Amino acid sequence: MTALQGRDVLGLADLSADEIHELLHLAIQLKTGQVNLRCNKVLGLLFYKASTRTRVSFSVAMYQLGGQVIDLNPNVTQVGRGEPVVDTARVLDRYLDILAIRTFEQKELETFAEYAQIPIINALTDLEHPCQVLADLLTIQECFGSLAGATVVYLGDGNNVAHSLMVGCALMGMNVRVATPSAYQPNSLIVDRAKQLAVNSEVTITDDPKAAVKGANVIYTDVWASMGQEASADARIPVFLPYQVNEQLLSLAAKDAIVLHCLPAHRGEEITEAVMEGSRSRIWDQAENRMHAQKALLASLLGAD
């Protein structure tokens, strides 16, 4: 994966279909022990938002590669006291080998990429969550053997996960249907981009969850109120209730359909306990695959022995 060395990954469209295929192949090799890469580098984690899976999976992945991790908590660094992003970026560039950032605005991520020469990874912004979707694609490939032609349905809020999922599915030749309430549809620019990238596949936006789920291979959901939207969480529940992933809705999907959730989950809201713990759930495999997909990404961006 020398083609990725030194590059930024700010969104999934920064990668080509071939590069994603190679990343997933490397992730499987790392997961199964077919290869054992070493990468004696330093990863910085600059997280303005709370995190469990992203923080831990990146850390463990880097440690397993033989590298080191520095947690740059904004609350105990000068960035939390208002140091300009351009100054922070230029300083961290001289200390670190790679930097993963979890923040609110995509523009802040782009500024870091502009002023730092080291690779910058989007570990989540309000616009995209590309590392999550690399793990999602890895999970789907493990379940079905291939990606092209599969139909993925996302139900709920048209948020950052929905955005990256649309782009990722479009790149990999997968049909993607996003079913959301009309007032919560995904960013129209991301929808247009996904449709441009789609090859022999379809990108569909609808407000009809039953029509979206019919015959689908993968049913995917996320919380109805993302970080920063907690104040509107209760008001959203009656609006989003028809989009709940429950056994009745799941019965409309293909017989071998699987269920994914990027976590954390609000059981009884966007997904029922029965479905989350049921035989079709691949949620825990999906969570584990964050580490394997990100390990492949880190090794590819940094170069490894």
Side-chain angles (χ1 to χ4, degrees):
M1 290 296 294
T2 56
L4 289 185
Q5 193 164 343
R7 284 167 49 182
D8 300 317
V9 178
L10 309 185
L12 265 189
D14 289 339
L15 303 172
S16 69
D18 287 343
E19 287 167 346
I20 294 176
H21 274 301
E22 290 189 37
L23 277 173
L24 298 183
H25 179 64
L26 178 57
I28 291 170
Q29 289 182 309
L30 289 165
K31 182 176 182 177
T32 58
Q34 296 175 55
V35 297
N36 182 25
L37 299 179
R38 303 297 292 172
C39 185
N40 186 24
K41 304 288 186 178
V42 180
L43 163 69
L45 299 179
L46 181 57
F47 284 19
Y48 296 84
K49 290 186 173 187
S51 172
T52 298
R53 278 149 294 278
T54 305
R55 184 187 300 277
V56 177
S57 59
F58 261 118
S59 298
V60 174
M62 196 65 199
Y63 288 136
Q64 289 185 356
L65 287 170
Q68 301 294 319
V69 180
I70 296 179
D71 187 351
L72 301 163
N73 187 328
N75 293 325
V76 294
T77 56
Q78 296 295 349
V79 71
R81 297 179 61 244
E83 182 175 34
V85 169
V86 296
D87 295 354
T88 302
R90 285 181 286 198
V91 170
L92 294 180
D93 180 60
R94 298 185 179 219
Y95 296 153
L96 305 171
D97 297 298
I98 192 166
L99 177 62
I101 301 174
R102 185 178 180 94
T103 189
F104 294 89
E105 294 185 9
Q106 186 79 9
K107 180 62 178 176
E108 184 169 346
L109 196 72
E110 293 168 356
T111 302
F112 267 98
E114 180 181 355
Y115 285 89
Q117 300 303 307
I118 58 173
I120 303 297
I121 299 175
N122 182 349
L124 180 145
T125 65
D126 288 346
L127 187 67
E128 276 212 55
H129 198 357
C131 292
Q132 174 65 56
V133 173
L134 286 175
D136 302 338
L137 294 173
L138 177 59
T139 308
I140 296 167
Q141 182 168 293
E142 285 180 329
C143 290
F144 296 106
S146 62
L147 296 173
T151 296
V152 177
V153 173
Y154 175 91
L155 299 161
D157 185 29
N159 60 15
N160 48 6
V161 173
H163 293 160
S164 290
L165 190 66
M166 283 190 296
V167 172
C169 289
L171 280 166
M172 307 313 289
M174 306 163 72
N175 301 308
V176 58
R177 306 170 188 162
V178 176
T180 70
S182 57
Y184 297 90
Q185 291 188 349
N187 184 301
S188 60
L189 294 177
I190 301 291
V191 174
D192 290 343
R193 180 63 171 146
K195 289 182 176 180
Q196 291 170 1
L197 292 169
V199 177
N200 299 321
S201 61
E202 296 181 352
V203 177
T204 304
I205 308 298
T206 180
D207 60 0
D208 187 340
K210 292 182 179 178
V213 166
K214 189 173 182 180
N217 306 109
V218 180
I219 309 302
Y220 195 129
T221 192
D222 189 9
V223 293
W224 291 337
S226 299
M227 285 179 283
Q229 300 172 335
E230 289 82 2
S232 65
D234 289 344
R236 287 178 176 231
I237 290 175
V239 178
F240 282 92
L241 198 56
Y243 300 85
Q244 182 187 71
V245 179
N246 52 42
E247 290 176 306
Q248 181 180 6
L249 197 63
L250 190 56
S251 70
L252 302 175
K255 293 187 181 300
D256 62 347
I258 63 170
V259 174
L260 301 179
H261 191 307
C262 56
L263 300 175
H266 293 168
R267 298 174 186 233
E269 290 185 14
E270 75 275 2
I271 189 169
T272 63
E273 180 88 12
V275 170
M276 192 162 181
E277 298 294 348
S279 61
R280 297 198 188 191
S281 172
R282 297 295 181 273
I283 294 170
W284 315 116
D285 296 332
Q286 176 190 12
E288 177 189 342
N289 281 337
R290 290 294 305 278
M291 180 179 67
H292 303 300
Q294 288 161 193
K295 189 190 298 184
L297 182 63
L298 288 168
S300 299
L301 295 176
L302 287 168
D305 300 327

